[in-house]
Amino acid sequence: MKKIIKLGKAAFYLLMLITGFLYGKLLAAINPDYRDVWLISERGTDARDNGYWFFRYMQKSHKEKNSYYVIDKSSEDFKKLEQYGHIIQYKSFLHHAMLAVAAIRISTHDMGYTPDMVIYHWLNRFHLIPGKKVLLQHGIMGADIEWYHREQCPVDLFITSARQEYESIIRIFNQPASVVRLTGLCRYDHLTLDKCKKQILIMPTWRQYLVGLTEAEFTKTDYYKNYMALLNDDELTAWLKSHGYSIVFYPHIEMQKFIHSFHSNSQVVRIACFGSDDVQQLLIESELLITDFSSVFFDAAYMGHKILYYQFDKKLYEGNHYKKCLFDYGTFGPVCITKEELMPRIRESILATDDSYHQAKHDFFSFHDQGNCQRVYNEIIRIL
């Protein structure tokens, strides 16, 4: 049944591509605002990552280009785009039309500019999606993810930010050197390095083997139990309170469906949610990041923030979610397997006057400036 549904969706989207192409060509012939369109997005429902920052750059620095952002008007992020205009409603017929005729398609995710990332990802393997495609990435590629291997993800431009990442994408992902470019992430142009406060951000990534569970099933998992134990450790929260620190717990967007299952009895702990909290702002203002395998640790490292890794389920994660990380986590901070290991590390990190990982963090990145969007723009011009 699932295969039949997938084929039905694929047939529908192919029909929409054909009709959208005809409508898009007619629209461009009548209205110059729809000629040579740069179609930019993240996932069609958000605007807080590299897609948003690149679109903002285009609207401020290259108004001569017909750049449009694809987003649902019901999105929490829609309001901050209204000032720029050039918005296309996600999954509208205009969206289908511009997808078919755009000069360039740009997103943080493979096929993020389409009405359905999964179906169009599958169609694109057969080269059925027209035009030039740019993968901005939504972070630095920290794991070997087959979804982004050349065989599954034939893009024209694959953005990277560090020499080690650049080499891994060519060597392991089999993406051509002419496609992989070292520019830096667009959002790094706006990372503020001097607004830290006494805040600890706990931000674990998702688990594809957990997202399909019911809430009752989820609360029985080691994932839930380990983070609840951490958020409700009386000794830790009392110590943090005495030193003026607070905790913000923000799980990955794919795990936010279970956000109401988490709670803490301590006033120094806040459970954050996607709708009201911005990840980039949380990263900017948090002195210490505690994560498991999430690539957000690269952002924290870029800003020189302290990092701890809590990897209580590493074997299960690497066997059932993504393959082994492409980098050594221990390069940027201590790796802890148990809560008993993690607790003293938290106190040590807070009390430390220097950071023995500082130089490694600095040396990892190829750029430390505000020129990332400009470099991405130059690379897009090159492929056009």
Side-chain angles (χ1 to χ4, degrees):
M1 179 59 73
K2 287 183 178 180
K3 189 173 182 180
I4 293 173
I5 293 173
K6 182 178 180 180
L7 289 171
K9 283 185 175 181
F12 170 75
Y13 287 134
L14 280 174
L15 177 62
M16 292 300 288
L17 272 176
I18 295 168
T19 55
F21 177 82
L22 296 173
Y23 177 67
K25 287 294 186 182
L26 176 62
L27 198 60
I30 298 171
N31 189 340
D33 288 345
Y34 292 106
R35 296 171 192 166
D36 300 317
V37 164
W38 291 36
L39 196 66
I40 306 170
S41 73
E42 285 170 11
R43 286 171 290 204
T45 55
D46 47 356
R48 56 182 68 185
D49 203 335
N50 297 308
Y52 165 71
W53 289 110
F54 185 68
F55 175 72
R56 184 175 179 269
Y57 163 82
M58 290 296 296
Q59 289 300 306
K60 288 178 177 291
S61 302
H62 292 285
K63 292 282 287 184
E64 77 280 5
K65 301 294 184 184
N66 288 330
S67 58
Y68 288 84
Y69 196 90
V70 178
I71 192 168
D72 195 310
K73 290 183 179 180
S74 66
S75 167
E76 298 279 351
D77 299 327
F78 179 78
K79 287 184 179 179
K80 65 184 182 183
L81 293 164
E82 285 184 298
Q83 61 180 304
Y84 304 114
H86 281 232
I87 300 171
I88 293 178
Q89 170 63 31
Y90 178 54
K91 291 189 176 182
S92 65
F93 189 57
L94 180 60
H95 181 192
H96 286 278
M98 291 302 102
L99 173 64
V101 301
I104 194 85
R105 298 149 186 81
I106 306 162
S107 180
T108 50
H109 296 65
D110 178 42
M111 299 291 115
Y113 36 74
T114 71
D116 189 316
M117 289 195 295
V118 175
I119 297 298
Y120 279 92
H121 173 83
W122 180 70
L123 288 173
N124 195 42
R125 294 174 66 180
F126 303 100
H127 304 283
L128 296 175
I129 312 304
K132 300 287 186 180
K133 307 170 188 69
V134 175
L135 179 62
L136 294 176
Q137 290 211 72
H138 56 291
I140 292 175
M141 191 67 71
D144 182 3
I145 305 174
E146 291 184 3
W147 181 278
Y148 293 108
H149 285 202
R150 185 66 181 177
E151 297 74 25
Q152 294 198 40
C153 181
V155 294
D156 299 281
L157 188 59
F158 197 123
I159 295 302
T160 62
S161 305
R163 175 60 57 178
Q164 188 177 345
E165 178 196 25
Y166 170 84
E167 293 172 352
S168 296
I169 298 301
I170 294 172
R171 177 172 50 87
I172 300 173
F173 288 52
N174 199 34
Q175 294 284 354
S178 59
V179 165
V180 185
R181 312 307 287 181
L182 195 53
T183 66
L185 294 177
C186 294
R187 68 170 182 261
Y188 283 6
D189 282 351
H190 300 274
L191 284 183
T192 304
L193 310 183
D194 58 356
K195 289 191 176 180
C196 260
K197 56 186 182 182
K198 290 185 172 183
Q199 179 171 290
I200 299 170
L201 175 61
I202 301 177
M203 190 174 176
T205 191
W206 68 303
R207 309 289 191 273
Q208 58 182 325
Y209 48 89
L210 297 182
V211 292
L213 300 181
T214 65
E215 193 161 343
E217 292 170 334
F218 176 72
T219 56
K220 296 176 183 177
T221 64
D222 285 343
Y223 182 98
Y224 176 77
K225 291 176 181 177
N226 275 276
Y227 285 111
M228 279 293 289
L230 183 59
L231 298 174
N232 289 279
D233 188 284
D234 293 336
E235 184 179 347
L236 172 65
T237 54
W239 188 88
L240 291 174
K241 185 176 182 179
S242 69
H243 286 77
Y245 278 79
S246 63
I247 289 175
V248 176
F249 178 67
Y250 185 100
H252 188 279
I253 186 173
E254 295 290 347
M255 305 300 284
Q256 287 274 323
K257 62 181 288 188
F258 301 118
I259 196 68
H260 299 297
S261 300
F262 293 98
H263 55 84
S264 174
N265 298 321
S266 174
Q267 293 181 343
V268 303
V269 176
R270 182 170 73 86
I271 311 299
C273 64
F274 178 81
S276 57
D277 289 274
D278 181 80
V279 173
Q280 185 164 355
Q281 186 58 39
L282 290 176
L283 285 164
I284 287 171
E285 64 188 25
S286 298
E287 179 182 315
L288 170 64
L289 170 70
I290 300 175
T291 187
D292 46 7
F293 313 96
S294 174
S295 64
V296 295
F297 74 81
F298 289 113
D299 294 53
Y302 183 84
M303 292 183 284
H305 294 178
K306 297 171 184 177
I307 303 169
L308 292 173
Y309 300 94
Y310 186 30
Q311 299 180 345
F312 55 85
D313 61 345
K314 185 176 182 180
K315 186 176 291 188
L316 181 64
Y317 177 87
E318 291 183 349
N320 297 277
H321 187 80
Y322 291 149
K323 294 180 180 179
K324 188 176 180 180
C325 183
L326 299 173
F327 310 98
D328 179 8
Y329 291 105
T331 303
F332 296 147
V335 178
C336 305
I337 305 301
T338 66
K339 185 161 77 79
E340 289 68 33
E341 287 182 82
L342 181 64
M343 293 303 177
R345 290 292 192 178
I346 294 174
R347 293 190 287 269
E348 288 171 13
S349 296
I350 287 173
L351 297 176
T353 55
D354 60 356
D355 182 4
S356 59
Y357 297 91
H358 174 75
Q359 195 60 47
K361 292 172 185 175
H362 183 274
D363 293 345
F364 178 80
F365 298 93
S366 296
F367 305 100
H368 294 272
D369 59 20
Q370 283 72 52
N372 301 299
C373 285
Q374 179 65 52
R375 284 186 288 270
V376 170
Y377 175 81
N378 292 342
E379 291 296 342
I380 292 175
I381 293 298
R382 178 183 64 85
I383 66 171
L384 284 175

